Amino acid sequence: MVFDISVALTWILFLALFPITYYWLRRVWRIVVKRDFSEVALKRGEPPPNPEKYAPWAVAFNLVAATILIFVIFGVVSGLLDYGSWTAIAGSTIWMKLIFDFILSRQAHLVATRRKNDAK
């Protein structure tokens, strides 16, 4: 095996799965166990007026994505997943999690903005 840029990027992606998974599981723990909704549906760093309403969706997104990444990590370590499969699964999971979080934050703040405009 020759160490080139593709090997380096592959290792960076694989090693990045560990802190990403930890961070997403920690968010699930904070929302479910500690009842801390400060990281739910953030837009520009601000939570919506009613983050408890969107917490189940945030928990679902984080838990499903973290579970998939745990599966990928074990698949790579055990040799069950080939390179093309695990990179596709990991990359798609990361991107879809980011997209779903973005949609959730915009939806949560859209409802709050509509209510504010209706009150005027």
Side-chain angles (χ1 to χ4, degrees), residues 23-35:
Y23 180 74
W24 290 345
L25 288 174
R26 188 183 67 169
R27 288 183 74 183
V28 170
W29 176 264
R30 285 182 176 178
I31 295 169
V32 172
V33 176
K34 293 188 175 184
R35 309 293 296 166

Side-chain angles (χ1 to χ4, degrees), residues 84-85 99:
S85 296
I99 291 168

Side-chain angles (χ1 to χ4, degrees), residues 1 4-14 17 72 75-77 79-91:
M1 177 171 69
D4 58 356
I5 191 69
S6 66
V7 174
L9 289 175
T10 301
W11 273 100
I12 289 170
L13 174 62
F14 177 68
L17 296 179
V72 169
V76 170
V77 171
L80 295 175
L81 293 174
D82 62 303
Y83 174 77
S85 296
W86 79 262
T87 54
I89 294 169

Side-chain angles (χ1 to χ4, degrees), residues 35-47:
R35 309 293 296 166
D36 178 14
F37 303 115
S38 62
E39 294 183 3
V40 173
L42 296 178
K43 181 178 178 185
R44 296 186 186 136
E46 297 291 325

